[in-house]
């Protein structure tokens, strides 16, 4: 295998979450009754004309700036001509020679290794409708609700070398577009679609091999599987003396293999030409400045700041910035108690994340607000609560309690810090577990933990663990 | 008062219901004509029946094979005619796609269309369950 | 006041009569509906809707009675069948849309409706606006009222024939390479193609998007000014519509022509020009000179290459614009097909006529891989040269004048055997479309066979006021525009 080198390029279609379509005023909501969101322009009635949605342009620029790309202040819409029932005009309005976003890059981290992956370009275009093959006798049903939804097609340089890198790139891109608020990233609904171009070549060779395109992979896991399969397929083919055909293939998740697309092998001549209905898009310096000023702190920079300002680990920080709302939640919590940043991060990345996941919620649905979390953590910091009792309070808050101190009082969870009280419990335990004491004195250090546990149990978890430890050690000698 | 401009021959003949036809003289720029001659050699002006079938398919039009030669001849004549364009020196000229070099105006991201499915689909030849129907497509 | 054929009526005289209650819109409309009926042999109309027309007339009469009627209130007009009209078929002269009823009105239709005009019906045209003789219509050829064996010109042949025959006071048309001006020339009428972007293309079925413009076909320049004033203006639904105030075109109609300079392109007046056409144009120029205008010779070196240029760009854009006609969501759908490909091919081949299919093929070829640079790109560059020629010329003159068409109306069938010979009709007209400039054709005489000759005036961008002014002053001092076909 190591005689071969893999070259992977990815094309991602990101559905921009504008309210209306890119060239018409119809809604873009997902899942509506067929053809109820397809207006005259979308169904290409005779005489209709496209009018550009400024939000789509703004979102494209936001993306471009976020990847450090050159923005083409003058870009052109072109017609890509072909016949297909879900393409009502018989052409797709896209961008060809002059896309709105030019060269940029995205940094990925694969097992600690950082790599910068080039992004060749990103351009605006309109989505096609949907073909429904089931449910119509001998026919295909066409739903044009999706026709005209704005897409940003993001094309990577063929810089990726492994399926792991490909997945890392996609995850990073996915996270970024959600972070920027330009895409909801819902892969099941088709908001984030990936095509992969894969070729292999002998390591010694400098010429690229023939590539195959795998279309429309809609999960990270499938991307990995599809690429892995395809690499093997191509290598096997070449090793047997065959050659790779340039073609489009589909990934079959059930069979875990890629398959040639039937009947699509005619070479497409799209006859691109500048769309005469849409003059060139000119973005002023002022517009670019405005968009740049409106950019949120980008994930990388924010993560780095979390590390330097709040002393978080890079891993913790990265996890927090994966979702902008989560990062905001973190900062809102931490603003009153910056010293507890690490603790806050742990709670968010741990307990909160787990519950949100289980209940299929987002951070904005969290019943524990930044204020509540902040309060809770203050009570841990000031010794009122221990790790365990804090968890109990948290549960109560998650269930709807609104006052941290009230809960502590009601449940009598205040940590025991009075050394006298603790000492008497420790004495009780030492007297009650004589065998274990003997074992400890005999050299079995592990039994210490058991004894600590017993003290905690007797105190209903309220004893200050540090003091318990100290006292036990002193008494055991 | 009005002088006659020179014209490349075999090209423009102004037909006229009353007076006779009149052909026009070529422009006298030897170097340019040589260049154009070379250029015209490199451009394949004659369409073959195979070309016709290919173009017809791209345009989703049917040209019965027995008509493809005639079609080829007819279209070749038109293409020969448009070869005149090569008379003009367009090196370093930018294409003009939009008169007055207009630029794109954008609109606010607002929904201003409502559901008119019933109305629009009353125009359609075949629909079912709110979908437009076409013969089954295999992907 | 009686409407007779003895004196051609104009929008302004009709409007005055209506406002003065000399007659009602219902009477007027009824009269025109009858005329249309009597002259159905011209085949100028595809659809006439008497009930709808009379209803609109009634409403117009109410506005006239109660309020502030405008210059078009109650005036019957015809729309070229390329403009979408809600509730009335819009066929574009094609089998493909034979039964198509648009769910919305074109902006041009909306505006004239709002101005109180009464729609008599939809006029015949070359299919999808492709043609210069109105012989390419699925609904049959249109006859020229001046000689029924001859063509009225195209593609707005039906509109021109209707106005020339006196069966509609005015009509709308569209012009992509000369389709308003050339029929106006062949039929002795005033036809105006505005600056590109002046009139909205929303609802105007697209032929060549970067060339198409809507405009009026009328008896006089004043009438054209009235109609243009209503049709023109920014429309946010059309991205190529220009945001620029619409002047009061009537206000400047009577301005003096003293000091105006007319440019005469040497390329237009060569020895290939029909002598009768040339003579009529010369006489017209003399008249204008007597009215204070001076002439200078100018050069438009690339303008004659406008035809090949146009016959690459227009078919290319059309091949793309017509791809939506596939039998799926509206329009003609073939009866027999086995699969999707056959559905497309049969619907399109059966639905489109031969000229349309020819142009789609040419256009597809011109855009195809390997040929784009040589054809389409080359044509777009040549187009800039043509526009530059005009720009340079306008440094030396205020408007450019010449013949509208190389000949007068030719016989039906005379050019249908050879597409290229048909294309040459546009020789003087399509440069204005390529450059996006406004241009107007007015009658300037009759030839020895009593066929109208047209004079074309081309202006600088958005200079319609000047064109209309010169045309109007010319018409005040001449009577060519008052001539009518004798046999009608």
């Amino acid at each position: 295998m190591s005689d071969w080198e893999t070259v992977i390029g990815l094309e991602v279609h990101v559905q921009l979450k504008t309210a209306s379509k890119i060239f018409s005023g119809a809604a873009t909501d997902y899942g509506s009754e067929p053809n109820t969101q397809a207006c005259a322009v979308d169904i290409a009635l005779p005489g209709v004309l496209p009018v550009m949605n400024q939000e789509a342009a703004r979102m494209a620029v936001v993306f471009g700036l976020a990847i450090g790309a050159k923005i083409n202040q003058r870009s052109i819409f072109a017609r890509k001509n072909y016949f297909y029932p879900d393409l009502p005009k018989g052409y797709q309005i896209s961008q060809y020679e002059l896309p709105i976003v030019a060269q940029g890059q995205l940094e990925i981290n694969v097992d600690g290794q950082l790599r910068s992956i080039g992004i060749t370009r990103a351009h605006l275009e309109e989505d096609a409708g949907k073909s429904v093959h089931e449910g119509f006798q001998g026919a295909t049903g066409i739903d044009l609700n999706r026709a005209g939804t704005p897409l940003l097609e993001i094309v990577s340089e063929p810089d990726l070398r492994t399926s792991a890198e490909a997945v890392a790139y996609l995850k990073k891109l996915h996270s970024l577009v959600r972070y920027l608020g330009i895409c909801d990233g819902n892969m099941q609904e088709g908001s984030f679609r990936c095509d992969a171009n894969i070729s292999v070549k002998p390591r010694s060779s400098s010429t690229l091999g023939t590539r195959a395109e795998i279309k429309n992979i809609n999960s990270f896991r499938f991307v990995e599987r599809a690429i892995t399969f395809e690499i093997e397929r191509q290598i096997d083919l070449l090793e047997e003396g065959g050659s790779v055909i340039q073609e489009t293939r589909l990934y079959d998740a059930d069979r875990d293999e890629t398959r040639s697309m039937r009947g699509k092998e005619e070479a497409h001549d799209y006859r691109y030409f500048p769309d005469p209905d849409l003059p060139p898009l000119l973005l002023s310096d002022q517009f670019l400045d405005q968009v740049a000023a409106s950019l949120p702190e980008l994930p990388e920079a924010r993560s780095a700041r979390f590390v330097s300002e709040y002393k978080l680990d890079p891993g913790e920080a990265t996890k927090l910035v994966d979702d902008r709302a989560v990062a905001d939640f973190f900062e809102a919590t931490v603003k009153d108690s910056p010293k507890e940043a690490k603790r806050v991060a742990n709670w968010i990345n741990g307990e909160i994340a787990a519950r949100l996941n289980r209940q299929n919620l987002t951070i904005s649905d969290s019943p524990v607000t930044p204020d509540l979390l902040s309060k809770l953590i203050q009570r841990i910091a000031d010794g009122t609560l221990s790790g365990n009792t804090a968890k109990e309070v948290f549960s109560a808050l998650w269930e709807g309690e609104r006052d941290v101190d009230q809960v502590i009082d009601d449940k009598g969870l205040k940590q025991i810090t009075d050394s006298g009280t603790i000492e008497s419990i420790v004495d009780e335990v030492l007297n009650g577990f004589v065998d274990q004491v003997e074992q400890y004195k005999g050299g079995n250090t592990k039994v210490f933990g058991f004894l600590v546990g017993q003290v905690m149990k007797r105190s209903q978890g309220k004893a200050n663990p540090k003091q318990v430890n100290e006292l036990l050690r002193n008494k055991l000698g | 008062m009005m002088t006659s401009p020179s014209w490349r021959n075999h090209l423009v003949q102004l037909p006229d219901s009353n007076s006779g036809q009149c052909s026009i003289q070529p422009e006298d720029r030897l170097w340019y004509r040589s260049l154009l001659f070379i250029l015209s050699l490199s451009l394949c002006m004659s369409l073959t029946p195979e070309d016709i079938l290919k173009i017809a398919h791209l345009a989703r039009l049917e040209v019965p094979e027995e008509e493809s030669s005639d079609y080829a001849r007819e279209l070749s004549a038109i293409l020969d005619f448009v070869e005149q364009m090569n008379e003009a020196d367009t090196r370093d000229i930018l294409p003009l796609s939009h008169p007055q070099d207009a630029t794109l105006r954008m609109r606010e991201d607002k929904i201003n269309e409502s559901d008119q499915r019933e109305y629009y689909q009353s125009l359609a030849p075949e629909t079912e369950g709110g979908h437009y129907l076409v013969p089954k497509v295999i992907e | 006041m009686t409407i007779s054929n003895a004196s051609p009526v104009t929008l302004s005289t009709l409007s005055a009569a209506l406002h003065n209650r000399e007659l009602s819109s219902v009477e007027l409309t009824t009269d025109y509906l009858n005329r249309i009926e009597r002259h159905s042999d011209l085949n100028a109309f595809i659809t006439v809707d008497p009930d709808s027309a009379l209803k609109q007339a009634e409403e117009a009469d109410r506005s006239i009675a109660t309020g502030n009627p405008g210059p078009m209130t109650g005036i019957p007009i015809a729309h070229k069948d390329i403009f979408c009209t809600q509730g009335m078929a819009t066929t574009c002269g094609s089998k493909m849309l034979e039964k198509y009823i648009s769910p919305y009105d074109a902006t041009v239709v909306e505006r004239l409706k709002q101005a109180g005009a009464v729609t008599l019906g939809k006029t015949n045209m070359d299919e999808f606006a492709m043609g210069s003789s109105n012989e390419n219509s699925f609904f049959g050829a249109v006859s020229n009222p001046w000689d029924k064996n001859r063509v009225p010109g195209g593609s707005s042949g039906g509109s021109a024939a209707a106005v020339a025959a006196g069966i509609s006071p005015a009509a709308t048309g569209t012009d992509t390479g000369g389709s308003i001006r050339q029929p106006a020339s062949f039929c002795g009428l005033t036809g105006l193609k505005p600056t590109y972007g002046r009139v909205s293309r929303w609802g105007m079925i697209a032929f060549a998007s970067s060339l198409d413009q809507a405009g009026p076909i009328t008896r006089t320049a004043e009438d054209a000014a009235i109609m243009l004033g209503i049709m023109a203006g920014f429309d946010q639904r059309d991205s190529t519509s220009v945001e620029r105030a619409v002047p009061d075109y009537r206000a400047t109609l009577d301005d003096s022509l003293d000091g105006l300079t007319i440019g005469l392109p040497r390329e237009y007046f060569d020895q290939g020009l029909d002598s009768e056409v040339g003579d009529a144009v010369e006489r017209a120029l003399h008249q204008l000179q007597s009215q204070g205008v001076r002439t200078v010779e100018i050069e438009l070196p690339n303008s004659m290459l406008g035809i090949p240029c146009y016959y690459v760009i227009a078919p290319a854009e059309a091949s793309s614009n017509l791809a939506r006609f596939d039998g799926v969501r509206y329009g003609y759908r073939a009866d027999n097909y086995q699969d999707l490909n056959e559905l497309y091919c049969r619907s399109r081949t059966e639905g489109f006529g031969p000229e349309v299919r020819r142009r789609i093929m040419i256009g597809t070829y011109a855009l195809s891989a390997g040929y784009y640079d040589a054809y389409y790109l080359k044509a777009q560059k040549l187009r800039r040269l043509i526009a530059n020629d005009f720009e340079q010329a306008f440094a030396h003159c205020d408007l450019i004048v010449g013949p509208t068409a190389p000949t007068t109306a030719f016989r039906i069938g005379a050019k249908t055997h050879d597409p290229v010979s048909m294309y040459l009709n546009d020789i003087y007209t399509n440069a204005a479309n390529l450059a996006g400039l406004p241009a107007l054709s007015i009658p300037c005489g009759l030839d020895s066979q009593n066929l109208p000759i047209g004079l074309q005036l081309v202006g600088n961008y958005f200079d319609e006021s000047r064109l209309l002014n010169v045309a109007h002053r010319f018409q005040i001092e001449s009577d060519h525009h008052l001539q009518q076909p004798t046999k009608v």
Side-chain angles (χ1 to χ4, degrees):
Chain A
M1 205 240 54
S2 52
D3 293 331
W4 299 95
E5 189 173 64
T6 311
V7 175
I8 303 167
L10 296 174
E11 277 168 29
V12 178
H13 287 88
V14 165
Q15 235 179 33
L16 299 177
K17 56 177 202 188
T18 53
S20 63
K21 298 197 176 171
I22 187 171
F23 295 117
S24 82
T28 53
D29 304 339
Y30 180 84
S32 306
E33 281 299 298
N35 291 305
T36 53
Q37 284 174 193
C39 67
V41 173
D42 301 326
I43 64 182
L45 289 184
V48 297
L49 296 168
V51 180
M52 176 68 183
N53 182 336
Q54 69 189 21
E55 183 63 5
R58 190 197 68 86
M59 287 184 168
V61 173
V62 162
F63 176 77
L65 293 175
I67 60 167
K70 171 179 184 298
I71 305 294
N72 283 328
Q73 284 176 264
R74 181 171 183 272
S75 66
I76 311 246
F77 285 102
R79 294 188 183 180
K80 179 178 181 181
N81 298 280
Y82 65 96
F83 282 89
Y84 205 68
D86 64 10
L87 193 69
K89 293 189 289 297
Y91 61 86
Q92 176 196 31
I93 300 177
S94 178
Q95 293 189 300
Y96 185 57
E97 286 176 336
L98 256 190
I100 186 170
V101 173
Q103 266 294 344
Q105 69 246 353
L106 198 65
E107 209 173 63
I108 61 172
N109 183 331
V110 185
D111 297 328
Q113 294 274 65
L114 288 177
R115 272 201 72 199
S116 182
I117 305 297
I119 288 179
T120 316
R121 55 184 269 160
H123 70 257
L124 285 167
E125 60 184 25
E126 54 178 353
D127 210 344
K130 275 210 183 108
S131 299
V132 179
H133 305 293
E134 287 83 47
F136 302 102
Q137 264 300 62
T140 293
I142 307 295
D143 174 11
L144 298 174
N145 278 350
R146 198 181 65 175
T149 305
L151 294 178
L152 187 66
E153 180 176 329
I154 303 167
V155 182
S156 82
E157 294 282 343
D159 287 349
L160 301 158
R161 295 282 169 272
T162 67
S163 60
E165 283 186 0
V167 173
Y169 171 88
L170 287 173
K171 285 188 169 170
K172 187 76 186 282
L173 193 62
H174 186 255
S175 168
L176 179 61
V177 298
R178 279 168 31 244
Y179 188 96
L180 294 171
I182 66 176
C183 174
D184 67 18
N186 190 325
M187 293 173 85
Q188 273 64 46
E189 292 181 0
S191 311
F192 188 91
R193 317 199 281 254
C194 177
D195 299 340
N197 287 300
I198 302 157
S199 68
V200 298
K201 66 172 179 67
R203 214 167 267 286
S204 50
S205 164
S206 56
T207 27
L208 289 176
T210 311
R211 59 163 208 252
E213 184 187 13
I214 322 277
K215 277 193 98 63
N216 272 336
I217 317 171
N218 64 2
S219 87
F220 297 127
R221 207 179 123 259
F222 290 166
V223 165
E224 222 230 309
R225 297 297 326 139
I227 293 177
T228 304
F229 176 89
E230 182 60 18
I231 294 171
E232 265 177 55
R233 183 192 78 87
Q234 290 191 15
I235 291 174
D236 287 345
L237 195 54
L238 292 169
E239 280 181 342
E240 282 166 21
S243 47
V244 177
I245 313 166
Q246 182 170 341
E247 59 176 350
T248 308
R249 299 173 73 84
L250 280 179
Y251 176 68
D252 183 337
D254 298 325
R255 296 225 190 102
D256 189 31
E257 62 181 24
T258 65
R259 261 197 344 263
S260 186
M261 281 179 89
R262 246 189 301 173
K264 267 227 176 179
E265 274 340 286
E266 49 181 64
H268 281 290
D269 182 356
Y270 294 121
R271 289 158 278 136
Y272 285 99
F273 70 103
D275 194 329
D277 290 329
L278 295 165
L281 175 60
L282 245 59
L283 300 172
S284 64
D285 289 339
Q286 194 192 32
F287 178 84
L288 291 191
D289 288 339
Q290 267 169 24
V291 178
S294 75
L295 278 185
E297 184 182 17
L298 296 178
E300 245 123 30
R302 199 168 191 185
S303 174
R305 183 169 63 79
F306 284 0
V307 169
S308 64
E309 205 176 306
Y310 300 113
K311 310 286 182 268
L312 297 183
D313 293 335
E316 295 174 309
T318 307
K319 206 161 167 218
L320 286 172
V321 303
D322 186 64
D323 185 322
R324 188 163 153 199
V326 170
D328 291 344
F329 188 99
F330 168 76
E331 292 211 78
T333 309
V334 132
K335 73 176 185 312
D336 294 324
S337 36
K339 291 219 192 81
E340 299 302 320
K342 229 170 154 64
R343 198 164 268 168
V344 173
N346 282 339
W347 275 91
I348 294 174
N349 284 336
E351 193 65 35
I352 293 185
R355 283 173 189 252
L356 292 176
N357 242 328
R358 253 197 322 269
Q359 298 180 260
N360 213 8
L361 298 171
T362 63
I363 192 77
S364 51
D365 302 319
S366 167
V368 178
T369 60
D371 279 340
L372 287 177
L373 185 61
S374 174
K375 195 64 195 284
L376 179 68
I377 284 169
Q378 271 172 43
R379 288 288 169 263
I380 301 174
D382 67 21
T384 311
L385 293 172
S386 68
N388 288 335
T389 50
K391 282 209 173 105
E392 240 187 280
V393 176
F394 182 87
S395 290
L397 294 174
W398 194 270
E399 295 307 317
E401 292 295 336
R402 288 281 141 261
D403 186 334
V404 174
D405 288 332
Q406 189 70 50
V407 174
I408 294 174
D409 278 342
D410 290 346
K411 290 181 183 267
L413 295 175
K414 211 163 158 159
Q415 189 168 227
I416 302 171
T417 48
D418 172 56
S419 41
T421 320
I422 297 180
E423 199 176 342
S424 58
I425 301 176
V426 168
D427 287 338
E428 260 182 62
V429 167
L430 290 176
N431 293 331
F433 292 92
V434 178
D435 291 338
Q436 283 79 354
V437 171
E438 286 305 314
Q439 283 168 35
Y440 180 76
K441 289 197 173 149
N444 184 350
T445 47
K446 285 195 192 140
V447 96
F448 185 82
F450 171 80
L451 293 167
V452 168
Q454 287 303 313
V455 176
M456 296 306 291
K457 205 166 149 194
R458 265 172 213 247
S459 68
Q460 287 109 41
K462 291 188 283 190
N464 181 308
K466 200 156 159 242
Q467 287 173 283
V468 168
N469 264 283
E470 250 180 65
L471 273 169
L472 259 177
R473 278 197 203 280
N474 290 341
K475 286 190 184 265
L476 289 168
Chain B
M1 158 184 144
M2 300 165 207
T3 53
S4 75
S6 322
W7 272 97
R8 195 155 157 75
N9 68 2
H10 92 262
L11 295 169
V12 181
Q13 305 206 307
L14 297 174
D16 166 29
S17 51
N18 295 329
S19 36
Q21 291 191 327
C22 182
S23 63
I24 313 165
Q25 270 61 62
E27 281 232 321
D28 200 16
R29 289 192 206 153
L30 187 58
W31 66 269
Y32 196 54
R33 284 171 68 195
S34 316
L35 176 67
L36 288 172
F37 178 66
I38 295 162
L39 258 177
S40 67
L41 287 180
S42 64
L43 279 170
C44 176
M45 290 171 262
S46 249
L47 294 178
T48 64
E50 289 73 45
D51 292 327
I52 293 296
L53 294 176
K54 248 196 280 181
I55 299 165
H57 178 62
L58 276 179
R60 294 305 185 271
L61 290 173
E62 268 180 350
V63 175
E65 253 190 85
E66 59 271 18
E67 286 177 33
S68 57
S69 303
D70 287 332
Y71 227 112
R73 240 193 319 274
E74 205 173 63
L75 294 192
S76 295
I78 297 174
L79 290 173
D80 279 353
F81 170 71
V82 303
E83 292 298 325
Q84 285 175 67
M85 289 198 295
N86 294 321
E87 278 188 39
D89 181 3
T90 54
R91 293 170 297 176
D92 304 328
I93 303 290
L94 288 173
L96 181 68
S97 300
H98 302 271
Q100 303 157 61
D101 283 325
T103 59
L104 188 59
R105 177 178 35 85
M106 296 195 275
R107 68 177 169 88
E108 250 187 87
D109 183 24
K110 270 215 192 101
I111 299 169
N112 57 23
E113 296 284 351
S114 57
D115 172 14
Q116 294 207 67
R117 183 173 82 185
E118 224 180 287
Y119 194 179
Y120 293 151
Q121 291 197 343
S122 68
L123 307 168
E126 247 190 276
T127 59
E128 192 185 306
H131 290 83
Y132 291 99
L133 288 188
V134 295
K136 198 158 191 84
V137 180
I138 307 158
E139 257 170 4
Chain C
M1 165 189 178
T2 47
I3 315 291
S4 75
N5 288 323
S7 54
V9 291
T10 62
L11 299 180
S12 42
T13 51
L14 284 178
S15 186
L18 286 170
H19 293 198
N20 295 333
R21 319 296 179 82
E22 286 168 35
L23 80 169
S24 69
S25 176
V26 169
E27 286 170 323
L28 189 57
T29 302
T30 307
D31 185 36
Y32 276 104
L33 287 169
N34 290 336
R35 292 175 187 222
I36 292 171
E37 188 72 50
R38 284 202 301 277
H39 298 286
S40 56
D41 60 321
L42 290 173
N43 204 22
F45 280 84
I46 292 175
T47 304
V48 183
D49 192 343
D51 288 338
S52 163
L54 288 168
K55 259 213 236 15
Q56 293 167 51
E58 279 164 17
E59 214 187 296
D61 281 331
R62 277 195 290 275
S63 326
I64 292 171
T66 61
N68 229 345
M72 288 295 288
T73 311
I75 309 269
I77 56 163
H79 282 297
K80 180 174 181 180
D81 211 3
I82 198 171
F83 292 103
C84 287
T85 45
Q86 198 177 18
M88 197 187 293
T90 301
T91 70
C92 228
S94 180
K95 179 176 181 175
M96 182 58 83
L97 293 176
E98 185 184 2
K99 308 199 179 103
Y100 179 72
I101 302 188
S102 172
Y104 71 99
D105 278 336
T107 300
V108 162
V109 171
E110 246 177 37
R111 290 188 178 184
L112 284 162
K113 228 189 232 180
Q114 271 159 21
V118 173
T119 303
L120 292 165
K122 311 293 287 297
T123 56
N124 205 342
M125 54 181 282
D126 278 303
E127 191 181 352
F128 284 102
M130 300 183 193
S132 316
S133 65
N134 219 136
E135 293 172 285
N136 291 333
S137 169
F138 173 68
F139 299 93
V142 174
S143 302
N144 189 327
W146 289 82
D147 178 340
K148 301 213 184 141
N149 295 313
R150 292 178 184 262
V151 302
S155 58
S156 311
S159 284
V163 179
I167 64 179
S168 180
T172 55
T174 62
D175 190 314
T176 304
S179 294
I180 284 176
R181 292 160 286 155
Q182 184 251 31
S185 174
F186 279 13
C187 292
L189 299 170
T190 299
L192 169 68
K193 180 202 86 70
T195 309
Y196 185 83
R198 178 79 280 186
V199 178
S200 170
R201 293 185 300 114
W202 174 260
M204 190 174 113
I205 298 179
F207 160 23
S209 317
S210 73
L211 302 168
D212 296 341
Q213 262 299 277
I217 293 177
T218 57
R219 300 216 86 99
T220 66
E222 184 177 15
D223 284 357
I226 294 171
M227 275 185 75
L228 184 65
I230 292 163
M231 292 166 74
F234 174 65
D235 180 5
Q236 63 186 18
R237 293 170 290 194
D238 174 0
S239 296
T240 58
S241 172
V242 176
E243 273 176 282
R244 190 186 168 116
V246 179
D248 181 350
Y249 296 115
R250 293 176 85 179
T252 45
L253 284 174
D254 286 302
D255 285 0
S256 158
L257 303 186
D258 267 333
L260 272 184
T261 307
I262 281 177
L264 302 174
R266 54 198 284 264
E267 294 80 6
Y268 287 9
F269 295 95
D270 68 16
Q271 60 200 48
L273 182 57
D274 178 310
S275 55
E276 288 194 275
V277 171
D279 288 345
V281 169
E282 251 198 79
R283 280 194 295 274
L285 287 168
H286 284 316
Q287 187 201 307
L288 285 168
Q289 280 165 333
S290 74
Q291 291 182 266
V293 156
R294 56 180 272 269
T295 62
V296 293
E297 194 180 77
I298 56 158
E299 268 191 8
L300 296 173
N302 296 289
S303 65
M304 297 313 228
L305 293 179
I307 297 199
C309 178
Y310 172 86
Y311 281 98
V312 168
I313 294 174
E317 292 183 6
S319 70
S320 181
N321 284 330
L322 267 58
R324 67 190 61 197
F325 299 105
D326 56 13
V328 177
R329 298 165 311 290
Y330 49 81
Y332 179 80
R333 184 168 172 133
D335 291 324
N336 298 311
Y337 50 87
Q338 302 282 51
D339 55 28
L340 181 67
N341 196 55
E342 279 185 14
L343 170 65
Y344 284 158
C345 292
R346 295 202 180 154
S347 302
R348 290 165 61 77
T349 305
E350 292 165 24
F352 290 138
E355 182 62 26
V356 171
R357 284 182 274 133
R358 206 170 2 244
R359 295 205 197 183
I360 290 175
M361 297 278 283
I362 292 280
T364 303
Y365 183 74
L367 291 173
S368 64
Y371 298 103
Y372 177 86
D373 283 5
Y375 291 104
Y376 189 77
L377 189 58
K378 176 78 185 183
Q380 294 285 48
K381 292 182 176 190
L382 179 47
R383 184 177 183 174
R384 188 175 288 282
L385 287 182
I386 291 171
N388 290 348
D389 282 354
F390 279 107
E391 198 186 324
Q392 278 157 32
F394 282 123
H396 305 290
C397 63
D398 300 304
L399 64 164
I400 293 167
V401 172
T404 303
T407 66
T408 55
F410 47 87
R411 290 186 185 285
I412 292 177
K415 296 186 196 242
T416 47
H417 61 285
D418 180 8
V420 174
S421 70
M422 189 68 87
Y423 298 165
L424 295 174
N425 277 295
D426 297 345
I427 199 156
Y428 301 116
T429 47
N430 66 30
N433 301 83
L434 291 166
L437 295 166
L440 170 60
S441 178
I442 51 175
C444 66
L446 297 172
D447 73 0
S448 54
Q449 299 187 288
N450 207 46
L451 298 168
I453 298 167
L455 182 75
Q456 182 182 231
L457 291 70
V458 182
N460 212 339
Y461 297 107
F462 298 103
D463 211 5
E464 287 86 354
S465 296
R466 173 116 63 199
L467 294 179
L468 291 163
N469 162 226
V470 173
H472 177 73
R473 295 300 308 229
F474 179 86
Q475 288 178 348
I476 287 177
E477 305 281 336
S478 62
D479 65 355
H480 306 296
H481 61 291
L482 298 173
Q483 304 306 309
Q484 287 195 103
T486 46
K487 298 176 201 110
V488 176

